[in-house]
Amino acid sequence: MAPRTRYRTIQSQIGTSTFQGSTGAGLRESQRTSQILVNSLNDMSNYFMKKAGTQAEIEGAEFGAKNAITEEQLRKSIDTGQDLNEYLGDKDTIFGRSARKAQLSILDSELELSAKTQMSQEVADATVNNLDPAVLADRLDVITNEFTKLSNNVSPILGQRIFASLNTASAGKYSTYNQKYATAQFKEIKAKKLAIVSHNLNAITDEVNSIILSIGEEESLGQKLIAYEQVTKNKILQNLSGVGTKETTFTSNFKTVEDNILLAKNNFIITNAVRS
């Protein structure tokens, strides 16, 4: 029989007589508390790592912007065989990747601007010298290929982007020039044909006089002049067809042919009557 005492045990005093050691609810609560602590530490660690990564990214971008590679440096490095990776950010760190991205972005913009400036100069030269569009197309292709090859020496991705951008720019400039060239050529052709028509109209008087003077005794002057009128109108029709001539222009010129023939005939008669 256990000895009796007037003092209560420690367990009974603090109310832990039912505590079961490392088993039961106490263990589960302890594990849950530990997991919460671990999760909190992980969250804190992730937060500070993310913050440090963001800071490294910002600093890398600033460094890359201040130490960007220029077109001149790129061309010089190619000529001398120098490795550009010495100047580009590394690919293994956040700072390096951010710096590299900024450097390539600035170089991309510089190369694209330089190429498009050269393209505009070629278009201006073609306009001044009235070059055939095919010649301009070849020159624009040379610029596109040159800058694509140049950028490929730095990064294949950069080369692909430059190629796509310059191809689009080249196509736009060529299309615009080709339309202007075609319009100018069309106007020039039309002007030349209108000049021919004007010359033919002015020559009617002399030609009618020649017909009258060469008419034989058995020939009909009226029929000769009708045939001449039809031939002259057909020439006008051929010269002005296909150059956007309005119907009113044809009608006006045909009327001029008729009037000039009549005028030439009357003048011939009056002139000879006066002489007689």
Side-chain angles (χ1 to χ4, degrees), residues 68-89:
I69 298 173
T70 63
E71 179 185 347
E72 183 180 357
Q73 287 177 315
L74 176 57
R75 291 184 181 277
K76 185 177 180 180
S77 68
I78 294 173
D79 292 338
T80 60
Q82 189 177 17
D83 186 5
L84 280 175
N85 285 311
E86 297 177 7
Y87 302 100
L88 290 171

Side-chain angles (χ1 to χ4, degrees), residues 222-267:
Q223 291 179 353
K224 280 269 189 179
L225 292 180
I226 289 174
Y228 169 74
E229 177 184 325
Q230 190 59 48
V231 170
T232 306
K233 287 182 177 180
N234 285 339
K235 287 181 180 179
I236 292 174
L237 189 63
Q238 291 174 0
N239 286 326
L240 297 185
S241 294
V243 290
T245 306
K246 296 180 180 179
E247 183 178 353
T248 53
T249 303
F250 285 106
T251 303
S252 175
N253 280 290
F254 291 162
K255 182 67 168 55
T256 301
V257 170
E258 296 169 3
D259 291 344
N260 285 0
I261 291 175
L262 180 61
L263 181 62
K265 184 174 69 172
N266 290 340
N267 286 342

Side-chain angles (χ1 to χ4, degrees), residues 136-155:
L136 176 63
D138 290 340
R139 294 185 178 183
L140 294 178
D141 285 344
V142 168
I143 295 174
T144 298
N145 293 333
E146 175 193 353
F147 278 86
T148 298
K149 183 178 179 181
L150 194 62
S151 54
N152 268 329
N153 283 277
V154 183
S155 166

Side-chain angles (χ1 to χ4, degrees), residues 149-271:
K149 183 178 179 181
L150 194 62
S151 54
N152 268 329
N153 283 277
V154 183
S155 166
I157 296 177
L158 178 62
Q160 291 175 6
R161 209 211 67 78
I162 286 287
F163 178 75
S165 176
L166 296 186
N167 254 344
T168 301
S170 174
K173 291 181 182 296
Y174 171 79
S175 177
T176 300
Y177 177 80
N178 191 40
Q179 290 177 4
K180 291 181 178 179
Y181 181 86
T183 301
Q185 290 294 105
F186 182 82
K187 289 181 178 179
E188 184 178 350
I189 293 172
K190 186 175 182 178
K192 288 180 178 179
K193 291 193 172 185
L194 286 172
I196 293 173
V197 169
S198 178
H199 172 77
N200 291 338
L201 291 176
N202 292 331
I204 287 178
T205 299
D206 292 337
E207 290 174 352
V208 168
N209 288 339
S210 178
I211 291 173
I212 294 175
L213 291 173
S214 64
I215 194 74
E217 292 182 0
E218 298 181 359
E219 292 180 310
S220 169
L221 177 61
Q223 291 179 353
K224 280 269 189 179
L225 292 180
I226 289 174
Y228 169 74
E229 177 184 325
Q230 190 59 48
V231 170
T232 306
K233 287 182 177 180
N234 285 339
K235 287 181 180 179
I236 292 174
L237 189 63
Q238 291 174 0
N239 286 326
L240 297 185
S241 294
V243 290
T245 306
K246 296 180 180 179
E247 183 178 353
T248 53
T249 303
F250 285 106
T251 303
S252 175
N253 280 290
F254 291 162
K255 182 67 168 55
T256 301
V257 170
E258 296 169 3
D259 291 344
N260 285 0
I261 291 175
L262 180 61
L263 181 62
K265 184 174 69 172
N266 290 340
N267 286 342
F268 182 86
I269 295 172
I270 292 172
T271 300

